[in-house]
Amino acid sequence: MTAVVRVVWVVFAGLSLMISIGDTSRDPRIVKTIRDRVYATNFTYYTIKIEAQFTIVLDSLKGDADLYVSENDRRPHYQNLDYNMSSNSCGREVIVVPETMKRPIVAGVFGHEQQPVSEYQMIVLMGEVNPVDVPKPVSQDGSDNQSHSDESQSLIWDVISFLLKLVVEVLL
């Protein structure tokens, strides 16, 4: 009977380990995470009142969203050039806002004209952050991270299969 109890404990410990590995703890540097959308040639504006240095990371989930930051203008816009910093690539947008900029800071997210709607995730983090350290977002339907999901499911089934075989072997 003690062998069965040990096997049950091993199965429980293995499942607990798998659950804890899948649970990513919240990064303490993250101040705010926003998921939203912006229509083509429009802006969505955010006021940020953090007094210290911070980093804005903008990931386009669909379409192409660009980032403009200003300390002087309440509505930074690419046409009037009244912005202090911008990031307008076709990938991840990252801006480190120094402590020396006047507060409040206004961040404008622009929807590129070639996409009718751009969906994005914007994360504001304390300090200067290496963008590689910020995980890429998973889209609402999970399509951006499908291969990772498949790998995780495969690993889980491998572990469960191993544990079940172990239980059967101990019982026989």
Side-chain angles (χ1 to χ4, degrees):
M1 207 48 143
T2 58
V4 172
V5 172
R6 284 183 188 163
V7 169
V8 169
W9 184 86
V10 169
V11 169
F12 178 74
L15 291 175
S16 297
L17 178 63
M18 287 188 313
I19 290 169
S20 67
I21 290 171
D23 180 30
T24 57
S25 60
R26 181 171 149 76
D27 187 332
R29 299 171 298 176
I30 296 176
V31 176
K32 185 75 174 171
T33 300
I34 299 167
R35 280 186 182 241
D36 205 353
R37 69 179 62 167
V38 62
Y39 294 95
T41 69
N42 287 307
F43 273 87
T44 299
Y45 295 101
Y46 301 93
T47 301
I48 305 170
K49 298 178 181 179
I50 299 170
E51 294 296 328
Q53 180 183 42
F54 62 92
T55 302
I56 303 172
V57 179
L58 180 76
D59 286 301
S60 295
L61 305 174
K62 176 182 172 188
D64 182 22
D66 296 328
L67 183 60
Y68 295 84
V69 172
S70 175
E71 66 179 352
N72 303 318
D73 193 352
R74 298 299 108 206
R75 298 201 177 266
H77 197 284
Y78 69 93
Q79 287 180 331
N80 62 15
L81 300 177
D82 196 12
Y83 56 86
N84 299 86
M85 294 182 269
S86 68
S87 179
N88 49 13
S89 66
C90 288
R92 178 172 262 192
E93 314 298 344
V94 178
I95 292 180
V96 177
V97 178
E99 195 172 358
T100 56
M101 284 182 73
K102 191 170 68 174
R103 301 306 199 256
I105 301 297
V106 177
V109 179
F110 175 72
H112 195 274
E113 60 204 29
Q114 293 187 350
Q115 299 290 329
V117 178
S118 293
E119 295 177 6
Y120 59 89
Q121 175 176 289
M122 184 171 76
I123 301 176
V124 179
L125 302 108
M126 291 303 297
E128 184 172 355
V129 177
N130 185 343
V132 175
D133 294 338
V134 180
K136 295 269 186 183
V138 177
S139 68
Q140 299 292 18
D141 63 2
S143 61
D144 289 348
N145 211 2
Q146 191 62 42
S147 64
H148 177 70
S149 175
D150 291 344
E151 289 172 13
S152 297
Q153 285 181 343
S154 176
L155 175 65
I156 289 170
W157 284 115
D158 289 345
V159 171
I160 290 172
S161 173
F162 169 77
L163 292 173
L164 288 174
K165 288 177 185 175
L166 183 65
V167 168
V168 170
E169 194 168 315
V170 168
L171 291 175
L172 298 177

